[in-house]
């Protein structure tokens, strides 16, 4: 709900679909608890330096099929993030990158736009290609 509220505050992408969720653990104990819970709902398909990615047996909120549990990191004090798919990434990027709340993050095989607000307890991302295309076998595409 918090990620949707943040997205809706700064964009007009009210119908954007959430496909990826990440929970940021705040300490080692919480990290282990979150891992144990996530294993009940999905299977690890990739280990990363910042934490494992799970493919969920049943989606969260009808659309989130990928969940990451992030290892504790004091530079990530928020509680988590969600990645939304927008209808026209190019137009979205052009419209929002001049806003101080948005930042472009290039990666090797994709890029994403990060939306943050200083008082927010969550982050929001918009990826290109979208999560559904990065993991087509999980989304039936």
């Amino acid at each position: 709900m918090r990620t949707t509220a943040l997205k809706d505050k700064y964009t007009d992408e009210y119908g954007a679909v959430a496909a990826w969720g990440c929970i940021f653990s705040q300490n080692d104990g919480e990290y282990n608890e979150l891992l144990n819970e996530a294993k009940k709902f999905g299977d690890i398909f990739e280990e990363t330096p910042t934490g494992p990615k799970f493919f969920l047996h049943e989606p969260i909120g009808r659309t989130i099929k990928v969940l990451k549990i992030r290892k504790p990191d004091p530079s990530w004090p928020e509680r988590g993030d969600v990645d939304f798919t927008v209808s026209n990434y190019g137009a979205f990027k052009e419209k929002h990158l001049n806003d101080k709340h948005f930042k472009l993050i290039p990666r090797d095989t994709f890029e994403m736009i990060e939306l943050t607000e200083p008082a927010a307890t969550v982050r929001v991302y918009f990826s290109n290609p979208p999560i559904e295309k990065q993991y087509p076998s999980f989304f039936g595409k």
Side-chain angles (χ1 to χ4, degrees), residues 20 83 102 113 134:
W20 162 290
D83 195 301
F102 293 84
I113 297 172
Q134 292 180 45

Side-chain angles (χ1 to χ4, degrees), residues 25-85:
S25 62
Q26 302 300 306
N27 57 57
D28 290 335
E30 183 180 58
Y31 177 71
N32 290 324
E33 287 177 32
L34 289 167
L35 280 181
N36 288 333
E37 286 301 308
K39 287 175 183 175
K40 295 176 186 176
F41 298 99
D43 300 311
I44 294 174
F45 71 90
E46 184 179 356
E47 293 279 358
T48 74
T50 58
K53 296 176 187 177
F54 291 82
F55 174 65
L56 301 173
H57 303 295
E58 297 291 328
I60 298 171
R62 298 188 325 255
T63 58
I64 295 177
K65 294 184 178 180
V66 178
L67 176 67
K68 179 175 181 176
I69 304 297
R70 190 173 178 87
K71 293 177 181 178
D73 181 341
S75 64
W76 292 72
E78 298 88 356
R79 295 305 298 163
D81 71 59
V82 167
D83 195 301
F84 289 94
T85 300

Side-chain angles (χ1 to χ4, degrees), residues 1-11 13-14 16-24 60 63-64 78-84 102 115-117 120-126:
M1 293 185 322
R2 292 178 187 160
T3 55
T4 299
L6 182 61
K7 171 189 63 73
D8 290 350
K9 182 177 179 178
Y10 291 99
T11 79
E13 293 285 338
Y14 304 113
V17 175
W20 162 290
C22 181
I23 301 172
F24 303 170
I60 298 171
T63 58
I64 295 177
E78 298 88 356
R79 295 305 298 163
D81 71 59
V82 167
D83 195 301
F84 289 94
F102 293 84
L115 167 59
T116 58
E117 183 180 66
T121 59
V122 294
R123 296 177 185 212
V124 173
Y125 292 94
F126 308 92

Side-chain angles (χ1 to χ4, degrees), residues 79-133:
R79 295 305 298 163
D81 71 59
V82 167
D83 195 301
F84 289 94
T85 300
V86 295
S87 56
N88 183 333
Y89 182 85
F92 180 87
K93 179 179 175 178
E94 186 175 319
K95 179 177 182 177
H96 293 289
L97 276 186
N98 291 326
D99 183 319
K100 68 179 181 178
H101 296 97
F102 293 84
K103 177 174 91 173
L104 182 65
I105 302 172
R107 298 285 193 232
D108 291 337
T109 59
F110 69 101
E111 69 178 31
M112 56 189 169
I113 297 172
E114 179 183 61
L115 167 59
T116 58
E117 183 180 66
T121 59
V122 294
R123 296 177 185 212
V124 173
Y125 292 94
F126 308 92
S127 293
N128 187 42
I131 295 297
E132 298 93 322
K133 290 192 177 172

